[in-house]
Amino acid sequence: MSRSERLLTLLQVLRRYRAPVSGHVLARDTGVSIRTLYRDIASLQAQGAAIEGEPGVGYVMKHNFMLPPMMFAPEELDALVLGMRLVAEQGDSGLAQGARAALDKISAVLPAELRRELDASALLVGAGRQIETHAVDIDLLRRAIRNERKLRITYRTPSGPVSERTVWPYALVYFDLTRVLMCWCELRGTFRNFRTDRIDASELLDERYPKNRQTLLMEWRRSEFVAGRSILPEADRR
């Protein structure tokens, strides 16, 4: 690994941590000796990197610090291209458009050599089976999750009965051929998961739900662990 690649890797590792992290942890994560780590930090600081700290205390980088033009290892670039192409091919219209736009933005800031590799990537996405059609707007579901807003939905169970629910959506799970909306259901007073192709209607309410989505997700994971169930969500438990 060249020195410039090593310094860039150190910057990327520092971005993962929000609290000060010791030099020994950073040396382990970057695969260098502690003496090399200290020299690299000093070099980055001299070049203007917003890294605060000292030996024995730990280091942290201000999160508004802008990294230099993006660098990727070949495997990282392959993963990026394939992931974006999968979303562009198999995601709903909003995510597909977002994936293409994101890939264009990343391409624009890559060094010329990496941009050529990205454009010439031989990892392609084949045509898959048709994903179920939706009466509900998937963009609206994502917006409800992002803004932590309640939803009123009309839902069909596999056996046919239709019910109206007010739910607190906190995650959307993308399976190969279906999507599952994870919620707290006010009607049942517990966590419920709903297949999006069985949601006949949805209304985004003005009211925010009382917990944030990260808390709901952690509580759901805890409940699944205690119950001994799979961590993958099941839909249509009534």
Side-chain angles (χ1 to χ4, degrees), residues 50-115:
I51 301 171
E52 298 178 346
E54 58 186 50
V57 175
Y59 297 91
V60 66
M61 185 170 70
K62 293 183 179 179
H63 284 273
N64 59 354
F65 176 70
M66 298 298 292
L67 288 177
M70 292 185 181
M71 297 290 292
F72 293 97
E75 293 80 9
E76 293 172 337
L77 196 63
D78 284 347
L80 175 66
V81 172
L82 182 58
M84 293 294 187
R85 287 177 176 173
L86 279 168
V87 174
E89 179 67 26
Q90 300 182 9
D92 55 79
S93 59
L95 280 185
Q97 182 179 356
R100 288 189 287 268
L103 198 57
D104 288 343
K105 289 179 180 179
I106 292 170
S107 176
V109 297
L110 286 175
E113 181 178 349
L114 285 182
R115 190 181 307 122

Side-chain angles (χ1 to χ4, degrees), residues 30 32 35 41 44-45 64 74 92 113 122 174 222 238:
T30 54
V32 300
R35 292 181 62 185
I41 287 177
L44 288 171
Q45 289 172 327
N64 59 354
D92 55 79
E113 181 178 349
Y174 284 73
R222 193 178 303 119
R238 298 183 65 188

Side-chain angles (χ1 to χ4, degrees):
M1 181 186 297
S2 68
R3 180 174 179 273
S4 60
E5 290 175 323
R6 194 176 72 238
L7 295 179
L8 182 61
T9 297
L10 176 55
L11 286 173
Q12 292 171 330
V13 169
L14 278 165
R15 290 189 69 183
R16 301 175 193 164
Y17 295 96
R18 295 188 177 275
V21 58
S22 73
H24 289 283
V25 171
L26 292 173
R28 180 201 65 198
D29 289 352
T30 54
V32 300
S33 69
I34 189 67
R35 292 181 62 185
T36 298
L37 185 278
Y38 289 148
R39 286 198 302 268
D40 287 348
I41 287 177
S43 177
L44 288 171
Q45 289 172 327
Q47 295 176 42
I51 301 171
E52 298 178 346
E54 58 186 50
V57 175
Y59 297 91
V60 66
M61 185 170 70
K62 293 183 179 179
H63 284 273
N64 59 354
F65 176 70
M66 298 298 292
L67 288 177
M70 292 185 181
M71 297 290 292
F72 293 97
E75 293 80 9
E76 293 172 337
L77 196 63
D78 284 347
L80 175 66
V81 172
L82 182 58
M84 293 294 187
R85 287 177 176 173
L86 279 168
V87 174
E89 179 67 26
Q90 300 182 9
D92 55 79
S93 59
L95 280 185
Q97 182 179 356
R100 288 189 287 268
L103 198 57
D104 288 343
K105 289 179 180 179
I106 292 170
S107 176
V109 297
L110 286 175
E113 181 178 349
L114 285 182
R115 190 181 307 122
R116 287 192 294 271
E117 289 188 27
L118 184 148
D119 293 339
S121 174
L123 299 182
L124 307 177
V125 177
R129 294 169 59 189
Q130 184 66 37
I131 296 175
E132 78 285 343
T133 57
H134 295 85
V136 66
D137 182 358
I138 301 296
D139 286 344
L140 182 143
L141 302 184
R142 288 202 306 272
R143 190 161 66 251
I145 294 169
R146 187 164 52 247
N147 297 328
E148 299 177 344
R149 299 261 294 279
K150 293 186 179 183
L151 276 175
R152 183 178 294 122
I153 64 173
T154 302
Y155 190 71
R156 290 179 289 106
T157 62
S159 55
V162 176
S163 63
E164 285 196 354
R165 318 277 187 107
T166 298
V167 298
W168 310 350
Y170 60 89
L172 185 61
V173 185
Y174 284 73
F175 292 99
D176 286 343
L177 300 177
T178 191
R179 310 288 181 255
V180 173
L181 184 68
M182 302 177 66
C183 306
W184 175 270
C185 177
E186 292 187 355
L187 178 65
R188 301 302 184 195
T190 189
F191 293 104
R192 286 291 185 267
N193 304 311
F194 303 95
R195 278 183 48 161
T196 55
D197 58 320
R198 293 178 181 153
I199 300 176
D200 289 338
S202 62
E203 178 187 358
L204 183 62
L205 304 181
D206 291 334
E207 184 179 2
R208 292 173 63 93
Y209 48 76
K211 297 183 179 182
N212 63 53
R213 62 180 183 269
Q214 291 90 348
T215 298
L216 289 171
L217 185 58
M218 286 190 298
E219 290 180 356
W220 171 79
R221 285 174 171 159
R222 193 178 303 119
S223 70
E224 293 292 288
F225 177 79
V226 170
R229 288 191 290 262
S230 168
I231 200 63
L232 291 176
E234 299 174 358
D236 302 317
R237 288 206 308 265
R238 298 183 65 188

